[in-house]
Short mmCIF file of all heavy atoms in Angstrom, two decimals:
data_model
loop_
_atom_site.label_atom_id
_atom_site.label_comp_id
_atom_site.label_asym_id
_atom_site.label_seq_id
_atom_site.Cartn_x
_atom_site.Cartn_y
_atom_site.Cartn_z
N THR J 1 -101.21 -110.20 -154.52
CA THR J 1 -100.94 -110.01 -155.95
C THR J 1 -100.87 -111.37 -156.64
O THR J 1 -100.84 -112.41 -155.98
CB THR J 1 -99.59 -109.28 -156.16
OG1 THR J 1 -98.55 -110.08 -155.58
CG2 THR J 1 -99.61 -107.91 -155.50
N ILE J 2 -100.86 -111.36 -157.96
CA ILE J 2 -100.71 -112.61 -158.71
C ILE J 2 -99.26 -112.71 -159.18
O ILE J 2 -98.79 -111.87 -159.95
CB ILE J 2 -101.66 -112.66 -159.93
CG1 ILE J 2 -103.12 -112.56 -159.47
CG2 ILE J 2 -101.45 -113.96 -160.71
CD1 ILE J 2 -104.13 -112.56 -160.60
N PRO J 3 -98.52 -113.71 -158.69
CA PRO J 3 -97.11 -113.83 -159.07
C PRO J 3 -96.93 -114.02 -160.57
O PRO J 3 -97.76 -114.64 -161.24
CB PRO J 3 -96.66 -115.10 -158.32
CG PRO J 3 -97.61 -115.22 -157.18
CD PRO J 3 -98.92 -114.73 -157.71
N GLU J 4 -95.85 -113.47 -161.10
CA GLU J 4 -95.56 -113.60 -162.53
C GLU J 4 -95.44 -115.06 -162.94
O GLU J 4 -95.86 -115.44 -164.04
CB GLU J 4 -94.25 -112.86 -162.85
CG GLU J 4 -93.96 -112.74 -164.34
CD GLU J 4 -95.00 -111.93 -165.09
OE1 GLU J 4 -95.55 -110.97 -164.51
OE2 GLU J 4 -95.27 -112.27 -166.26
N SER J 5 -94.91 -115.91 -162.06
CA SER J 5 -94.77 -117.33 -162.39
C SER J 5 -96.13 -117.99 -162.59
O SER J 5 -96.29 -118.88 -163.44
CB SER J 5 -94.01 -118.07 -161.28
OG SER J 5 -94.75 -118.07 -160.07
N THR J 6 -97.13 -117.55 -161.85
CA THR J 6 -98.49 -118.09 -161.99
C THR J 6 -99.12 -117.62 -163.29
O THR J 6 -99.79 -118.39 -163.99
CB THR J 6 -99.35 -117.69 -160.78
OG1 THR J 6 -98.76 -118.23 -159.60
CG2 THR J 6 -100.76 -118.22 -160.91
N ILE J 7 -98.90 -116.35 -163.63
CA ILE J 7 -99.41 -115.81 -164.90
C ILE J 7 -98.84 -116.61 -166.07
O ILE J 7 -99.58 -117.02 -166.98
CB ILE J 7 -99.03 -114.32 -165.03
CG1 ILE J 7 -99.76 -113.49 -163.96
CG2 ILE J 7 -99.37 -113.79 -166.43
CD1 ILE J 7 -99.30 -112.04 -163.88
N GLU J 8 -97.55 -116.88 -166.02
CA GLU J 8 -96.91 -117.63 -167.10
C GLU J 8 -97.37 -119.09 -167.12
O GLU J 8 -97.53 -119.69 -168.18
CB GLU J 8 -95.38 -117.56 -166.97
CG GLU J 8 -94.81 -116.18 -167.24
CD GLU J 8 -95.20 -115.64 -168.61
OE1 GLU J 8 -95.09 -116.40 -169.60
OE2 GLU J 8 -95.63 -114.48 -168.69
N ALA J 9 -97.58 -119.67 -165.93
CA ALA J 9 -98.03 -121.06 -165.85
C ALA J 9 -99.42 -121.22 -166.47
O ALA J 9 -99.68 -122.19 -167.19
CB ALA J 9 -98.05 -121.52 -164.39
N VAL J 10 -100.31 -120.26 -166.22
CA VAL J 10 -101.65 -120.31 -166.81
C VAL J 10 -101.55 -120.22 -168.33
O VAL J 10 -102.24 -120.95 -169.06
CB VAL J 10 -102.54 -119.18 -166.24
CG1 VAL J 10 -103.84 -119.07 -167.04
CG2 VAL J 10 -102.84 -119.44 -164.77
N LYS J 11 -100.67 -119.34 -168.82
CA LYS J 11 -100.48 -119.22 -170.27
C LYS J 11 -99.98 -120.53 -170.87
O LYS J 11 -100.46 -120.98 -171.92
CB LYS J 11 -99.47 -118.11 -170.58
CG LYS J 11 -100.00 -116.70 -170.39
CD LYS J 11 -98.92 -115.68 -170.73
CE LYS J 11 -99.40 -114.25 -170.49
NZ LYS J 11 -98.33 -113.25 -170.75
N GLU J 12 -99.02 -121.18 -170.19
CA GLU J 12 -98.49 -122.45 -170.69
C GLU J 12 -99.55 -123.53 -170.70
O GLU J 12 -99.63 -124.33 -171.65
CB GLU J 12 -97.28 -122.88 -169.85
CG GLU J 12 -96.03 -122.06 -170.11
CD GLU J 12 -94.78 -122.74 -169.54
OE1 GLU J 12 -94.53 -123.91 -169.89
OE2 GLU J 12 -94.07 -122.08 -168.75
N LEU J 13 -100.36 -123.58 -169.66
CA LEU J 13 -101.44 -124.56 -169.62
C LEU J 13 -102.38 -124.37 -170.80
O LEU J 13 -102.75 -125.34 -171.49
CB LEU J 13 -102.23 -124.44 -168.31
CG LEU J 13 -101.54 -124.94 -167.04
CD1 LEU J 13 -102.34 -124.50 -165.81
CD2 LEU J 13 -101.38 -126.45 -167.06
N LYS J 14 -102.77 -123.14 -171.06
CA LYS J 14 -103.69 -122.86 -172.15
C LYS J 14 -103.04 -123.15 -173.50
O LYS J 14 -103.69 -123.67 -174.41
CB LYS J 14 -104.18 -121.41 -172.06
CG LYS J 14 -105.09 -121.16 -170.86
CD LYS J 14 -105.54 -119.72 -170.75
CE LYS J 14 -106.45 -119.32 -171.91
NZ LYS J 14 -107.74 -120.01 -171.87
N ASN J 15 -101.76 -122.82 -173.63
CA ASN J 15 -101.06 -123.11 -174.89
C ASN J 15 -100.96 -124.60 -175.17
O ASN J 15 -100.91 -125.02 -176.33
CB ASN J 15 -99.65 -122.50 -174.86
CG ASN J 15 -99.67 -120.98 -174.98
OD1 ASN J 15 -100.65 -120.40 -175.45
ND2 ASN J 15 -98.60 -120.33 -174.55
N LYS J 16 -100.94 -125.40 -174.11
CA LYS J 16 -100.89 -126.85 -174.26
C LYS J 16 -102.28 -127.46 -174.44
O LYS J 16 -102.42 -128.68 -174.54
CB LYS J 16 -100.19 -127.48 -173.06
CG LYS J 16 -98.68 -127.29 -173.06
CD LYS J 16 -98.05 -127.93 -171.83
CE LYS J 16 -96.53 -127.90 -171.93
NZ LYS J 16 -96.01 -128.85 -172.93
N GLY J 17 -103.31 -126.61 -174.43
CA GLY J 17 -104.67 -127.08 -174.68
C GLY J 17 -105.44 -127.51 -173.46
O GLY J 17 -106.53 -128.08 -173.57
N LEU J 18 -104.89 -127.26 -172.25
CA LEU J 18 -105.62 -127.61 -171.04
C LEU J 18 -106.63 -126.52 -170.69
O LEU J 18 -106.38 -125.33 -170.92
CB LEU J 18 -104.66 -127.81 -169.86
CG LEU J 18 -103.94 -129.16 -169.78
CD1 LEU J 18 -102.74 -129.20 -170.72
CD2 LEU J 18 -103.51 -129.45 -168.34
N LYS J 19 -107.75 -126.94 -170.16
CA LYS J 19 -108.73 -125.99 -169.63
C LYS J 19 -108.26 -125.51 -168.26
O LYS J 19 -107.76 -126.30 -167.46
CB LYS J 19 -110.10 -126.64 -169.49
CG LYS J 19 -110.76 -127.04 -170.80
CD LYS J 19 -111.24 -125.83 -171.55
CE LYS J 19 -111.97 -126.23 -172.84
NZ LYS J 19 -112.34 -125.03 -173.64
N VAL J 20 -108.41 -124.23 -168.00
CA VAL J 20 -108.06 -123.67 -166.70
C VAL J 20 -109.31 -123.05 -166.10
O VAL J 20 -109.96 -122.20 -166.73
CB VAL J 20 -106.95 -122.60 -166.82
CG1 VAL J 20 -106.60 -122.05 -165.43
CG2 VAL J 20 -105.71 -123.18 -167.48
N VAL J 21 -109.67 -123.50 -164.91
CA VAL J 21 -110.89 -123.05 -164.25
C VAL J 21 -110.54 -122.44 -162.90
O VAL J 21 -109.81 -123.04 -162.10
CB VAL J 21 -111.86 -124.23 -164.03
CG1 VAL J 21 -113.16 -123.75 -163.37
CG2 VAL J 21 -112.16 -124.94 -165.35
N ALA J 22 -111.05 -121.24 -162.64
CA ALA J 22 -110.91 -120.65 -161.31
C ALA J 22 -112.06 -121.17 -160.45
O ALA J 22 -113.22 -121.07 -160.84
CB ALA J 22 -110.96 -119.13 -161.40
N ALA J 23 -111.72 -121.75 -159.30
CA ALA J 23 -112.73 -122.28 -158.38
C ALA J 23 -112.59 -121.54 -157.06
O ALA J 23 -111.67 -121.80 -156.29
CB ALA J 23 -112.55 -123.78 -158.18
N THR J 24 -113.48 -120.61 -156.81
CA THR J 24 -113.24 -119.62 -155.77
C THR J 24 -114.45 -119.37 -154.87
O THR J 24 -115.59 -119.66 -155.24
CB THR J 24 -112.81 -118.29 -156.43
OG1 THR J 24 -112.63 -117.28 -155.44
CG2 THR J 24 -113.87 -117.81 -157.42
N GLY J 25 -114.17 -118.83 -153.71
CA GLY J 25 -115.23 -118.35 -152.85
C GLY J 25 -115.72 -116.98 -153.28
O GLY J 25 -116.75 -116.51 -152.80
N ARG J 26 -115.01 -116.34 -154.18
CA ARG J 26 -115.40 -115.01 -154.65
C ARG J 26 -116.69 -115.07 -155.48
O ARG J 26 -116.99 -116.08 -156.11
CB ARG J 26 -114.32 -114.41 -155.55
CG ARG J 26 -113.01 -114.11 -154.89
CD ARG J 26 -112.10 -113.42 -155.89
NE ARG J 26 -110.76 -113.17 -155.38
CZ ARG J 26 -109.85 -112.43 -156.01
NH1 ARG J 26 -110.14 -111.88 -157.19
NH2 ARG J 26 -108.65 -112.24 -155.49
N PRO J 27 -117.41 -113.95 -155.57
CA PRO J 27 -118.48 -113.84 -156.56
C PRO J 27 -117.86 -113.55 -157.92
O PRO J 27 -116.70 -113.15 -158.02
CB PRO J 27 -119.29 -112.64 -156.05
CG PRO J 27 -118.27 -111.79 -155.37
CD PRO J 27 -117.31 -112.75 -154.72
N LEU J 28 -118.64 -113.75 -158.98
CA LEU J 28 -118.12 -113.55 -160.33
C LEU J 28 -117.65 -112.13 -160.56
O LEU J 28 -116.66 -111.89 -161.28
CB LEU J 28 -119.20 -113.92 -161.36
CG LEU J 28 -118.76 -113.98 -162.82
CD1 LEU J 28 -117.68 -115.04 -163.03
CD2 LEU J 28 -119.96 -114.28 -163.72
N SER J 29 -118.30 -111.17 -159.93
CA SER J 29 -117.95 -109.76 -160.14
C SER J 29 -116.54 -109.43 -159.67
O SER J 29 -115.97 -108.41 -160.06
CB SER J 29 -118.96 -108.85 -159.42
OG SER J 29 -118.89 -109.07 -158.02
N MET J 30 -115.95 -110.30 -158.84
CA MET J 30 -114.61 -110.04 -158.32
C MET J 30 -113.55 -110.89 -159.01
O MET J 30 -112.48 -111.14 -158.47
CB MET J 30 -114.58 -110.31 -156.81
CG MET J 30 -115.38 -109.29 -156.00
SD MET J 30 -115.47 -109.72 -154.23
CE MET J 30 -113.73 -109.71 -153.81
N CYS J 31 -113.86 -111.31 -160.24
CA CYS J 31 -112.93 -112.18 -160.97
C CYS J 31 -112.34 -111.54 -162.22
O CYS J 31 -111.75 -112.23 -163.06
CB CYS J 31 -113.64 -113.49 -161.36
SG CYS J 31 -114.09 -114.53 -159.96
N SER J 32 -112.46 -110.23 -162.36
CA SER J 32 -112.00 -109.57 -163.58
C SER J 32 -110.50 -109.73 -163.81
O SER J 32 -110.04 -109.89 -164.93
CB SER J 32 -112.39 -108.09 -163.57
OG SER J 32 -111.85 -107.45 -162.43
#
């Protein structure tokens, strides 16, 4: 699962104007 603290951290990063990029072994179809 995705921890609530990580969800909030991503929101804070974006609110501060930082770019957030997922860098994964997954294909794009599994990133929804």
Side-chain angles (χ1 to χ4, degrees):
T1 60
I2 300 178
E4 189 62 34
S5 65
T6 299
I7 295 172
E8 291 304 314
V10 170
K11 286 181 183 177
E12 286 195 55
L13 287 170
K14 291 178 67 67
N15 288 340
K16 285 180 172 288
L18 279 80
K19 294 288 182 185
V20 180
V21 182
T24 178
R26 294 185 184 189
L28 189 61
S29 63
M30 291 174 60
C31 293
S32 57

